[in-house]
Amino acid sequence: DCTHIIQKADCAFGNLEGVLLDEGGTPKKCSNPKVCYAFRTPIAYVKNLTNAGFDAMSIANNHANDFGIIGRQSTMNTLKSAGIEFAGQKGFCETTIFQKGNVKYGFCAFAHSTNTPSITNIEETKKIVSSLKGKCDIIVVAFHGGAEGVKYAHVTGRTETFLGENRGNVKEFAHACIDAGADIVYGHGPHLPRAVELYNGHFIAYSLGNFCTPYRVSLSGALGYAPLLEININKTTGEFVDGKIHSYIQSKGVGPRTDAQNIVAKNIKSLTAKDFPNTLLSIDEDGTINKKVKN
């Protein structure tokens, strides 16, 4: 239902949760298998990402190391062979710069996990983002952060802890990225959508929830919301021009399907009004996003 939108994008970004690996590797140790998942996807399935139209994927998340260094290396090699750009592994690919059309993109990704650039280290974050300045036209940042589940739909502006782990202060992090030169910041991790914000003219999405996770992941209520975000920016300044929240919903065994009632967009509109009441964004019922005119 959404492939045509991804394919027509000047550049399409996503988050690859897990590894691309056929066999081998070292599965992570789970103290409680009931709440512990190790995600491994066959290498051949990378064609689903290319067919869908994705150009770049974050591999900074808490499942990128599910099968150890062999799994991470296989994922990077597979994406590279498929022509998909990637970032988010410390010491391997903290950033990437690539050309698409007449635009040069800089991309970096962060998470709260081992082997990824840390969302909790703000000073290091600024250094990584600012290292891309002057080398590209547009800088995009992805992050995996914030607590998980329906109780954590709001951006608090405080450090979030989940399962005893520091999941970052996502507002502080996103603002630091923009201050360091990022043009767009998008998040994932909480498994449900969160608010969006316009900060110093640049667009931030604090969580885009689940997108194509039709098995073994809870999809009840907002956990099944699968927004696809289309953002248009000024190539020269990187500032937000307009956009749209395309609404999709998942159900068990079925990936994102059109949400004719725009429930997902209305959800993000409501969260934005509560968490960022003064942000200069207006969101219509159909998901259209515009910049408010300052009084």
Side-chain angles (χ1 to χ4, degrees):
D1 286 10
C2 46
T3 298
H4 65 289
I5 298 173
I6 304 172
Q7 289 178 343
K8 76 176 182 180
D10 293 318
C11 199
F13 296 81
N15 170 54
L16 179 61
E17 193 87 358
V19 304
L20 291 163
L21 177 69
D22 286 338
E23 59 183 5
T26 305
K28 66 182 179 184
K29 296 180 180 179
C30 298
S31 57
N32 183 356
K34 291 183 178 179
V35 295
C36 182
Y37 295 84
F39 295 140
R40 185 178 69 189
T41 302
I43 286 173
Y45 279 36
V46 73
K47 69 179 183 296
N48 295 329
L49 298 178
T50 55
N51 290 344
F54 284 105
D55 299 296
M57 302 296 287
S58 165
I59 52 173
N61 54 67
N62 57 329
H63 289 286
N65 195 40
D66 279 1
F67 287 82
I69 182 60
I70 291 175
R72 287 187 285 140
Q73 197 67 63
S74 175
T75 300
M76 291 185 283
N77 290 342
T78 303
L79 291 172
K80 186 175 181 178
S81 296
I84 297 176
E85 300 291 334
F86 53 90
Q89 286 296 299
K90 192 185 298 182
F92 289 96
C93 55
E94 295 180 354
T95 67
T96 184
I97 296 174
F98 61 97
Q99 183 102 11
K100 188 159 186 264
N102 63 347
V103 179
K104 186 175 284 188
Y105 297 89
F107 180 47
C108 53
F110 302 80
H112 51 78
S113 310
T114 304
N115 303 310
T116 68
S118 176
I119 188 178
T120 64
N121 189 333
I122 299 299
E123 290 307 310
E124 186 63 22
T125 293
K126 290 179 180 178
K127 290 179 182 178
I128 292 173
V129 174
S130 61
S131 73
L132 294 167
K133 291 176 67 176
K135 300 176 182 178
C136 44
D137 301 306
I138 302 297
I139 299 175
V140 178
V141 176
F143 72 88
H144 201 78
E148 300 180 18
V150 293
K151 295 191 297 183
Y152 304 102
H154 292 281
V155 178
T156 64
R158 300 186 295 272
T159 296
E160 299 181 50
T161 302
F162 188 71
L163 298 178
E165 184 179 32
N166 183 343
R167 296 291 183 92
N169 179 332
V170 296
K171 181 178 179 181
E172 179 188 29
F173 168 84
H175 285 195
C177 289
I178 300 295
D179 291 340
D183 296 303
I184 295 178
V185 179
Y186 73 94
H188 35 83
H191 290 284
L192 79 175
R194 284 185 169 186
V196 298
E197 181 190 17
L198 194 65
Y199 174 69
N200 288 346
H202 297 276
F203 194 89
I204 301 169
Y206 282 98
S207 175
L208 295 177
N210 296 320
F211 183 63
C212 190
T213 57
Y215 298 101
R216 296 300 302 279
V217 174
S218 176
L219 298 174
S220 62
L223 299 176
Y225 293 176
L228 178 60
L229 189 62
E230 180 181 356
I231 298 297
N232 298 307
I233 65 175
N234 182 302
K235 179 186 172 183
T236 303
T237 66
E239 293 188 345
F240 172 81
V241 176
D242 56 30
K244 185 163 185 175
I245 302 163
H246 297 276
S247 294
Y248 298 93
I249 292 178
Q250 294 190 85
S251 57
K252 185 176 180 179
V254 181
R257 293 294 182 267
T258 300
D259 164 25
Q261 297 179 320
N262 293 314
I263 295 170
V264 180
K266 292 173 184 175
N267 171 252
I268 296 175
K269 173 183 172 72
S270 174
L271 290 169
T272 300
K274 292 174 183 176
D275 294 353
F276 299 98
N278 298 318
T279 195
L280 294 176
L281 290 175
S282 66
I283 304 175
D284 294 340
E285 295 287 291
D286 68 350
T288 299
I289 311 171
N290 285 296
K291 187 188 298 186
K292 293 179 181 177
V293 178
K294 289 184 179 181
N295 294 328

